[in-house]
Amino acid sequence: MLEPEPVLYLASASPRRQALLASIGVSVQVESCDIDETPLPGEPAERYVVRLAQAKAQAAMPLTALPTLGSDTAVVVDGQILGKPDDESHAASMLRRLSGRQHDVLTGVAVTGPKGVLTCCVTTRVTLRDISDAEIAAYWKTAEPCDKAGGYAIQGMASVFVAGIEGSHSAVVGLPLFETACLLRRQGVPLWNGHLPA
């Protein structure tokens, strides 16, 4: 069976975002766009993730005639943005900070197309159970947390740490599907491999 023609340009190499879009029948062309992801001084987390999502989508625009999608996810605790861990020690310190408490996961999405640049931000509250130092050390050895915001992947082995979630599970994985589908349809991108028109 032939692969469907791409209907969207995804400015991300994240296999999770590709899989989420595939799950709603959106075939993508993938190109990672490197941008500076340093937060601006005093920048609120919501503005930060939307700014990065928009920058990624706009960086991809000259490369394609298709609508483009950029997205960024940040883990926020006590008002501080936790990025991807630099090393094992950094990952361990983040997980100790998240252990036994709630935190917010913010995901910004930007889609370019005939309507200009459309954006949204979705906040999901996640509660982790108490995580022992032995579990943190063992989790690092799986290599899963190496490139994950906050040092954990909710859809992977770290799911055993998740005591509760309020909001969009797919947003924590990397893309809020309900809100993303709304943006895509507004830009004329069909869902369900064209069976659900824009």
Side-chain angles (χ1 to χ4, degrees), residues 69-197:
L69 184 149
S71 183
D72 193 77
T73 299
V75 171
V76 181
V77 63
D78 301 326
Q80 182 180 355
I81 297 169
L82 302 185
K84 298 172 184 176
D86 298 325
D87 53 29
E88 181 177 4
S89 173
H90 188 205
S93 69
M94 288 195 289
L95 283 174
R96 287 191 196 101
R97 192 167 176 187
L98 298 175
S99 174
R101 58 180 301 193
Q102 289 186 327
H103 62 274
D104 289 331
V105 178
L106 282 74
T107 299
V109 182
V111 182
T112 70
K115 302 290 186 184
V117 182
L118 304 178
T119 64
C120 72
C121 180
V122 173
T123 300
T124 303
R125 179 148 287 190
V126 179
T127 303
L128 299 187
R129 66 163 171 80
D130 290 331
I131 310 169
S132 70
D133 285 347
E135 287 176 311
I136 289 172
Y139 182 51
W140 175 260
K141 289 176 182 170
T142 70
E144 185 176 90
C146 297
D147 64 341
K148 307 297 188 302
Y152 78 95
I154 196 169
Q155 76 282 5
M157 297 178 197
S159 59
V160 301
F161 303 147
V162 180
I165 179 170
E166 300 169 32
S168 170
H169 181 272
S170 68
V172 183
V173 177
L175 208 57
L177 286 179
F178 172 79
E179 292 81 3
T180 298
C182 292
L183 297 183
L184 292 175
R185 295 188 77 181
R186 287 175 63 193
Q187 294 288 26
V189 177
L191 309 180
W192 298 357
N193 295 316
H195 296 293
L196 182 64

Side-chain angles (χ1 to χ4, degrees), residues 57-72:
Q58 290 178 315
M61 282 177 64
L63 307 175
T64 180
L66 295 171
T68 65
L69 184 149
S71 183
D72 193 77

